[in-house]
Amino acid sequence: MASSHSSSPVPQSSSSDAFFKKEMDATKRFRPVQSLPDVCPKEPTGDPNNLRDSPSLVVDQHRWTIYHSKVNLPAALNDPRLAKRESDFFTKTWGVDFVDTEVTPSFYLPQITKEHFALYQQEITPREKVHERCKNVCTPKDTFDRALLHTHDKSRTDLEQVPKIFMKPDFALEDSLTFNAVLPWSHFSTAGGKGNRDAASSKLLQEKLSHYLDIVEVNIAHQISLRSEAFFHAMTSQHELQDYLRKTSQAVKLLREKISKIDKVMCEGSLRVLRLSLTRNNCIKAYNKLKLMATVHQTQPTVQLLLSTSEFVGALDLIATTQEVLQQELQGIHSFRHLGSQLCELEKLIDKMMIAEFSTYARNDLNRPLEDDCQILEEERLVSLVFGLLKQRKLNFYEIYGDEMIITAKNIIKQCVVNTVSQIEEIDTEVVVKLADQMRMMNFPQWFDLLKNIFSKFTIFLKRIKATLNTIRSVVFLVLDKNQKTRDLEDTLQKNSTKDSTVDTEVAYLTHEGMFISDAFSEGDLPPVAADTTSQRNTSPNSEPCSSDSVSEPECTTDSSSSKEQTSSSVTPGGVEMMISDDMKLTDLELVRLANNIQELLYNASDICHDRSVKFLMARAKDGFLEKLNSNEFVALSRLMEGFILDTEQICGRKSMSLRGALQSQANRFVNRFHEERKTKLSLLLDNERWKQAEVPAEFQDLVDSVSDGRISLPEKKPAATEERKPTEFLIVEGQKYATVGTVLLLIRIILEYCQCVDNIPSITTDMLTRLSDLLKYFNSRSCQLVLGAGALQVVGLKTITTKNLALSSRCLQLIVHYIPIIRAHFEARLQPKQFSMLRHFDHITKDYHDHIAEISAKLVAIMDSLFDKLLSKYEVKAPVPSACFRNICKQMAKMHEAIYDLLPEEQTQMLFLRINASYKLHLKRQLAHLNVVNDGGPLNGLVTSDVAFYTGNLQALKGLNNLDLNMAEIWEQKR
């Protein structure tokens, strides 16, 4: 049936389809009706024979296309309404003129002529001639195709008579349904009067089946006839195939006999040698395993021996190696089933021992005698302990060292106090029991020496701590560096393994497929790994196996290939060489954090020393001892503390603020007391000041001269000279004479004390500036109250405030104003740039002093103004000349000049008398206007002119006023 299907004229396969289509194209009688081409043909998705020329019913069923439009073409052409046939049916709708209308050519389409197809005709003409020539040469196949088509149609018609049930591939009469369909039971029923009819039906059925059989046999015979040549050729080849099989069987039998002989002669002996070699290797492995078990059995005694010599790192390495061997090479050994847990307990014990040992080391290291020697105590022991603690991930061991630092710092102060108290005979330790009370009984020099001793001890203490912690940090950095090198080595190995991965993969594949490597690679192309493998495979079977020593050497070691601990040698800063193993499973982040914590521990050590020093300082300051110190003592204390603070910053690399804050607090108290003492002293001086010119001692002149030379400090006391220098009347400052009172001289000394205190204690610069500003303001306001406000009349008991008092007060203020810029520059050099805003206090003070000086000048002018008003209001123009009024005025002017000339500079005196003269002219002018005396050259005018000339002569006769421009013409009313 299969053959009939394959040779049936009905097209079944793709080849038959092509053949059948070609026949229909040749006859042109069975061409199917094709639809109009699609407007948008779809892309071909499968067989090129399945290209679709019509629209798709699936895709285009909901979209309107030109195929939906239908028209009756004969009806359109045969329009009965037209009188004549038109040349085109479009005129039916659009009119007769449609054909005659000229269509405007498109601007977007080119004009196509025959010349455009010339090239195409040249190319296609030779091809067309060849095609016609081949068409004439080939014999026509129309007859054969027609006969074959007829045969196919006949066979198809015959086979269609056979029911389709016989054509099913699963046709079987054993199936009841199939059997009933082929042979219905109704044809074999003999009951009733239907026997003859049923017999006829059965006979008809039999004939029908016979007919079906004939049809099938005819088709089979037809197919066989078509392929008879191939059938008989196959039958002929069957005998030859049997001969070949017989010869092949004999050759296989002979080959098997030869292989059996070769196996007996050549293979059995070699295989026996290989089996014996394998047995020997197994025995060696068993022997090595026993030796390894004996070595592991000695682990506990060896660990105890290492612990007795404090070799914690070696003991831990041995335990780790043994545990790894137990897990990998000796896993499942019954005799060692409890050894792993015993080693774990032993490891925990070593952890406790290392912590206790480190605590002991820290105690011994910190409690050594504090001498100048800052060497590390037992550096090898310290490095070994740190390595062991890092190996066990005990990363908080530095806290033990920190606790010991606190205890040791307390003991250092206590021991220093005890040693100092024991050397002072005035302190009875039996009566005064408490150590703090004993310390408070010391005077300042004794206590100062004690503090200096404590600071020196703390300095050595910090240097030792720094050396120890630097060693610990160096160990941590060595481990960190080893981790980095190990990571770089792993990256390098990974890159190398990536290069060899391709060859290894190919070798594994070829081996799995049963091929030899030499078949896949040539000798020159083999990589090193493949070449080694090939050389090992090509080794003669008779070669001697490895000796027992060479086999046992890698097996006897306690380190397996996966657990081998690579070590590298590193040297600490102290010169101690250590072997760093690779089994320290610490991350870089943990190691960096530990190094930072150790560095922070050094900062904490500095803070601890500062905190203990602050407590010692506060214990002494309870009874106000520090507040009672004089300036020199406090400066010495401040310098000592500043030196210790700088030393600790240099050692530890960070500022500690506790001691600095305590110093600042004490400095603030000292500044307050210092300022209150000076202010009180100044207040007492002002309250007792009689505002008379004082003599200037030589030491004050030296003090002023040193300031002029740029040294703003109190001069050192010189030994008494053989001839004492006499005091002078004036204070010479940069060539100018200053008449002063004794209070101002002492005020200058006080100001210099403030400046020198700032030099000695820089931390109190801002406070001193504020206090000095307050002191200068106080002097200005208090002197104003006493002189201008006449407070000295009640305080000191002066009878009156004279012009001499006023002039002397003004000159004293000018002296202070002279020194304010110098003081400002001194403080500015010691302030931070952000503190420069505080210098504005000096600007305010300078302005206040200048206002005060101006008020004094105005007061002097006001005194004379009231005198002029009193005298000139009674002035009468009459003889004799000069009048008594002008003689009195000149007398008072002379007294004024005598009072202020020696006190004020000549320029100021002239300016003052110009102002007094202006007041005089104003009052005289007013009086002359009242008396109706005009500048007309009359007798009254002459008398006034004589008086004015007397006044002018007397005034210009005064010392320093001879060149004074009085401009007396202003006394007369100007003519309009």
Side-chain angles (χ1 to χ4, degrees):
M1 297 293 288
S3 62
S4 66
H5 282 290
S6 62
S7 61
S8 174
V10 180
Q12 299 293 335
S13 63
S14 61
S15 61
S16 62
D17 286 342
F19 183 78
F20 186 66
K21 286 181 179 180
K22 184 175 182 182
E23 191 276 331
M24 289 190 297
D25 293 338
T27 56
K28 299 182 182 293
R29 291 180 299 169
F30 301 96
R31 180 181 299 274
V33 178
Q34 297 184 358
S35 60
L36 294 174
D38 194 357
V39 175
C40 298
K42 302 298 183 294
E43 290 290 330
T45 57
D47 186 22
N49 296 326
N50 295 330
L51 290 174
R52 180 170 48 84
D53 295 333
S54 61
S56 173
L57 293 177
V58 177
V59 178
D60 302 329
Q61 58 180 339
H62 300 296
R63 181 169 61 91
W64 189 92
T65 63
I66 59 173
Y67 304 107
H68 291 79
S69 62
K70 299 176 181 179
V71 66
N72 190 346
L73 189 59
L77 296 176
N78 300 323
D79 190 356
R81 292 178 294 176
L82 294 178
K84 61 178 179 178
R85 292 290 179 92
E86 301 294 340
S87 60
D88 195 347
F89 69 92
F90 290 105
T91 56
K92 173 183 178 182
T93 303
W94 298 331
V96 181
D97 298 334
F98 173 74
V99 179
D100 299 333
T101 303
E102 294 183 0
V103 179
T104 305
S106 174
F107 296 102
Y108 303 101
L109 296 178
Q111 294 293 330
I112 304 300
T113 60
K114 291 183 179 181
E115 284 75 8
H116 288 86
F117 298 96
L119 181 61
Y120 173 74
Q121 289 178 352
Q122 292 176 3
E123 293 179 356
I124 206 66
T125 300
R127 298 180 186 179
E128 183 181 6
K129 293 180 180 178
V130 173
H131 175 69
E132 292 296 334
R133 190 182 304 116
C134 294
K135 185 177 180 181
N136 296 330
V137 171
C138 295
T139 57
K141 297 182 180 180
D142 294 346
T143 306
F144 173 76
D145 293 340
R146 192 177 297 109
L148 184 60
L149 181 60
H150 177 71
T151 306
H152 281 305
D153 293 341
K154 183 178 181 182
S155 300
R156 180 187 300 177
T157 304
D158 293 340
L159 287 175
E160 287 177 356
Q161 298 178 8
V162 181
K164 294 182 179 180
I165 192 172
F166 295 103
M167 302 298 181
K168 291 183 177 181
D170 56 347
F171 177 79
L173 290 176
E174 291 82 359
D175 187 6
S176 59
L177 296 178
T178 304
F179 186 82
N180 292 331
V182 175
L183 300 173
W185 288 103
S186 60
H187 294 273
F188 302 100
S189 176
T190 55
K194 298 181 181 180
N196 295 331
R197 189 172 56 183
D198 291 338
S201 299
S202 300
K203 186 177 180 180
L204 181 60
L205 178 62
Q206 183 176 2
E207 292 177 356
K208 186 183 297 185
L209 293 176
S210 299
H211 179 64
Y212 293 160
L213 180 60
D214 294 340
I215 293 173
V216 172
E217 287 178 350
V218 169
N219 280 277
I220 290 174
H222 178 68
Q223 294 297 329
I224 291 175
S225 64
L226 294 176
R227 292 168 175 80
S228 59
E229 184 178 357
F231 175 75
F232 289 111
H233 177 70
M235 294 300 294
T236 305
S237 301
Q238 182 68 24
H239 298 288
E240 296 178 3
L241 183 61
Q242 290 179 358
D243 294 338
Y244 291 154
L245 290 176
R246 190 181 307 107
K247 293 178 182 179
T248 302
S249 176
Q250 292 175 359
V252 169
K253 182 178 180 182
L254 181 61
L255 179 61
R256 286 182 176 179
E257 291 175 356
K258 290 181 180 180
I259 290 175
S260 178
K261 292 178 181 180
I262 292 173
D263 181 49
K264 291 179 181 179
V265 174
M266 300 182 65
C267 296
E268 285 185 0
S270 300
L271 291 175
R272 184 171 179 274
V273 170
L274 292 176
R275 281 195 296 271
L276 292 176
S277 176
L278 182 60
T279 303
R280 178 176 177 273
N281 290 336
N282 290 336
C283 293
I284 291 173
K285 290 181 180 179
Y287 169 72
N288 292 334
K289 191 71 69 176
L290 292 175
K291 288 178 64 177
L292 182 60
M293 292 175 63
T295 304
V296 172
H297 185 66
Q298 296 297 323
T299 298
Q300 288 180 319
T302 306
V303 169
Q304 293 176 359
L305 180 62
L306 292 173
L307 292 180
S308 64
T309 58
S310 298
E311 289 290 338
F312 300 106
V313 178
L316 291 171
D317 289 340
L318 181 57
I319 290 175
T321 303
T322 304
Q323 287 179 337
E324 201 163 0
V325 170
L326 287 175
Q327 293 176 0
Q328 295 184 3
E329 299 186 12
L330 298 181
Q331 189 175 10
I333 303 299
H334 187 70
S335 59
F336 289 152
R337 63 186 183 278
H338 300 302
L339 183 58
S341 58
Q342 293 173 359
L343 292 177
C344 291
E345 293 297 328
L346 190 58
E347 190 173 0
K348 294 179 181 178
L349 177 62
I350 292 175
D351 291 347
K352 296 179 181 179
M353 291 178 64
M354 284 193 300
I355 292 175
E357 186 74 11
F358 184 78
S359 178
T360 304
Y361 174 84
R363 193 177 302 110
N364 295 336
D365 178 51
L366 296 174
N367 291 321
R368 286 184 291 163
L370 292 170
E371 300 173 355
D372 293 337
D373 184 17
C374 297
Q375 296 295 327
I376 302 174
L377 178 65
E378 300 179 8
E379 184 177 0
E380 294 183 1
R381 177 186 173 194
L382 173 63
V383 173
S384 177
L385 282 172
V386 173
F387 270 117
L389 292 169
L390 292 178
K391 186 178 180 65
Q392 295 303 106
R393 300 181 63 85
K394 302 297 180 182
L395 303 182
N396 59 344
F397 64 90
Y398 63 90
E399 297 177 357
I400 300 173
Y401 200 84
D403 296 338
E404 290 295 333
M405 286 192 311
I406 298 174
I407 298 173
T408 305
K410 293 180 181 178
N411 293 335
I412 288 174
I413 294 181
K414 183 176 181 181
Q415 189 63 36
C416 289
V417 173
V418 170
N419 294 338
T420 304
V421 170
S422 63
Q423 297 175 1
I424 301 176
E425 298 178 356
E426 291 82 3
I427 300 177
D428 189 357
T429 56
E430 295 181 357
V431 177
V432 183
V433 181
K434 291 184 178 181
L435 198 62
D437 295 336
Q438 296 174 2
M439 179 193 63
R440 293 190 186 98
M441 296 180 67
M442 298 179 186
N443 55 29
F444 178 77
Q446 294 171 345
W447 181 81
F448 185 79
D449 293 338
L450 172 60
L451 182 62
K452 185 186 298 184
N453 186 28
I454 291 174
F455 284 165
S456 64
K457 298 291 185 183
F458 273 154
T459 303
I460 299 173
F461 176 67
L462 288 175
K463 288 181 179 179
R464 286 185 176 178
I465 291 175
K466 182 179 181 180
T468 303
L469 294 181
N470 283 345
T471 302
I472 297 175
R473 290 183 80 236
S474 66
V475 173
V476 175
F477 285 131
L478 286 177
V479 177
L480 183 62
D481 184 61
K482 178 60 180 176
N483 287 353
Q484 183 66 31
K485 290 181 179 179
T486 303
R487 193 158 49 248
D488 295 341
L489 181 61
E490 290 177 355
D491 294 341
T492 304
L493 294 176
Q494 186 176 3
K495 291 180 180 179
N496 294 336
S497 62
T498 304
K499 295 179 181 178
D500 299 337
S501 61
T502 306
V503 176
D504 295 339
T505 305
E506 293 178 356
V507 170
Y509 173 75
L510 294 174
T511 305
H512 176 71
E513 293 295 327
M515 298 176 64
F516 290 101
I517 300 177
S518 58
D519 297 336
F521 299 101
S522 62
E523 190 67 27
D525 296 336
L526 280 177
V529 178
D532 294 342
T533 309
T534 306
S535 63
Q536 293 175 6
R537 292 190 176 188
N538 294 335
T539 303
S540 173
N542 298 325
S543 61
E544 289 293 329
C546 298
S547 62
S548 61
D549 295 337
S550 63
V551 174
S552 61
E553 184 175 356
E555 296 292 338
C556 291
T557 180
T558 57
D559 296 339
S560 63
S561 59
S562 61
S563 64
K564 191 172 294 183
E565 297 177 0
Q566 299 178 358
T567 59
S568 62
S569 176
S570 300
V571 180
T572 62
V576 180
E577 185 173 357
M578 291 298 297
M579 302 300 292
I580 307 176
S581 60
D582 288 342
D583 60 342
M584 290 191 181
K585 305 302 182 183
L586 294 173
T587 63
D588 292 352
L589 181 61
E590 291 175 335
L591 292 172
V592 172
R593 187 183 294 117
L594 177 59
N596 293 336
N597 291 336
I598 294 172
Q599 183 64 34
E600 191 67 28
L601 188 61
L602 180 60
Y603 301 152
N604 293 340
S606 176
D607 294 340
I608 290 170
C609 293
H610 281 236
D611 292 341
R612 301 312 305 177
S613 300
V614 169
K615 290 184 178 180
F616 176 78
L617 199 67
M618 293 298 103
R620 189 66 183 90
K622 279 188 176 180
D623 55 353
F625 171 76
L626 298 179
E627 298 178 4
K628 299 176 183 178
L629 299 179
N630 57 36
S631 300
N632 295 330
E633 291 175 344
F634 188 84
V635 167
L637 175 62
S638 175
R639 288 179 176 176
L640 177 64
M641 296 175 68
E642 285 286 350
F644 176 69
I645 291 171
L646 293 177
D647 290 341
T648 55
E649 289 178 3
Q650 185 177 5
I651 294 172
C652 302
R654 191 178 73 173
K655 294 182 179 181
S656 296
M657 303 307 298
S658 57
L659 186 58
R660 194 182 297 273
L663 176 60
Q664 186 66 37
S665 176
Q666 291 299 326
N668 292 336
R669 295 178 184 176
F670 168 76
V671 168
N672 290 333
R673 181 181 59 80
F674 180 88
H675 177 64
E676 291 299 328
E677 289 179 355
R678 270 68 183 168
K679 190 174 182 180
T680 302
K681 182 179 179 180
L682 179 62
S683 177
L684 293 175
L685 290 173
L686 288 172
D687 290 343
N688 294 302
E689 180 61 56
R690 302 188 66 83
W691 297 99
K692 292 183 178 181
Q693 183 178 0
E695 294 182 341
V696 180
E699 59 176 338
F700 284 97
Q701 185 62 52
D702 295 339
L703 185 64
V704 170
D705 293 340
S706 66
V707 174
S708 300
D709 295 338
R711 298 189 305 273
I712 305 179
S713 61
L714 296 175
E716 297 180 357
K717 292 184 179 180
K718 299 179 180 180
T722 56
E723 295 183 2
E724 294 184 358
R725 292 183 295 173
K726 294 182 180 180
T728 58
E729 287 189 41
F730 297 96
L731 185 68
I732 308 301
V733 179
E734 296 181 0
Q736 290 190 12
K737 293 182 179 180
Y738 283 90
T740 63
V741 295
T743 302
V744 174
L745 294 176
L746 294 176
L747 176 60
I748 293 175
R749 184 180 182 87
I750 291 173
I751 291 172
L752 294 182
E753 289 178 356
Y754 276 82
C755 294
Q756 186 174 11
C757 192
V758 168
D759 290 337
N760 296 329
I761 312 174
S763 60
I764 62 175
T765 302
T766 55
D767 291 335
M768 277 296 183
L769 190 151
T770 306
R771 301 301 193 281
L772 180 57
S773 302
D774 179 65
L775 186 72
L776 293 175
K777 290 179 181 178
Y778 176 76
F779 173 77
N780 184 42
S781 61
R782 186 60 178 160
S783 62
C784 182
Q785 293 173 3
L786 293 174
V787 180
L788 280 178
L793 299 178
Q794 292 82 17
V795 176
V796 186
L798 295 179
K799 294 180 181 180
T800 181
I801 301 298
T802 64
T803 56
K804 193 168 187 176
N805 298 139
L806 292 171
L808 186 60
S809 174
S810 174
R811 194 58 175 160
C812 291
L813 294 173
Q814 293 174 21
L815 178 61
I816 301 300
V817 170
H818 172 78
Y819 281 107
I820 286 178
I822 301 175
I823 300 170
R824 175 194 174 102
H826 180 79
F827 277 89
E828 184 176 3
R830 288 152 183 79
L831 286 175
Q832 299 293 331
K834 61 182 179 181
Q835 299 172 338
F836 285 168
S837 60
M838 299 184 66
L839 297 174
R840 67 180 184 276
H841 294 297
F842 292 111
D843 299 333
H844 297 161
I845 293 171
T846 303
K847 181 178 180 301
D848 294 341
Y849 272 67
H850 281 302
D851 293 343
H852 190 182
I853 294 170
E855 289 178 5
I856 292 175
S857 298
K859 182 66 175 177
L860 292 173
V861 174
I863 292 173
M864 297 304 296
D865 184 77
S866 62
L867 178 65
F868 293 150
D869 185 44
K870 179 180 178 181
L871 294 177
L872 291 175
S873 62
K874 300 177 182 180
Y875 173 63
E876 295 180 357
V877 182
K878 64 182 180 178
V881 177
S883 63
C885 177
F886 271 76
R887 283 197 299 268
N888 198 4
I889 289 174
C890 290
K891 181 180 179 181
Q892 295 298 327
M893 293 284 279
K895 288 183 179 179
M896 168 71 75
H897 180 269
E898 181 182 2
I900 68 173
Y901 181 76
D902 293 334
L903 301 179
L904 298 178
E906 186 174 344
E907 296 80 5
Q908 293 185 19
T909 303
Q910 292 177 358
M911 292 300 299
L912 180 63
F913 272 90
L914 283 176
R915 294 178 61 187
I916 293 173
N917 180 61
S919 176
Y920 162 76
K921 290 187 291 184
L922 181 63
H923 285 283
L924 180 59
K925 182 178 181 179
R926 188 182 303 151
Q927 183 64 22
L928 292 176
H930 177 70
L931 296 175
N932 295 322
V933 178
V934 295
N935 188 14
D936 54 358
L940 294 179
N941 178 258
L943 293 175
V944 172
T945 303
S946 299
D947 287 338
V948 170
F950 174 76
Y951 166 80
T952 304
N954 277 275
L955 188 59
Q956 290 181 346
L958 296 176
K959 191 176 181 180
L961 304 180
N962 52 351
N963 295 324
L964 200 65
D965 185 13
L966 301 179
N967 193 13
M968 298 304 296
E970 294 180 355
I971 63 175
W972 305 107
E973 288 285 345
Q974 298 294 331
K975 295 182 179 180
R976 298 179 181 178

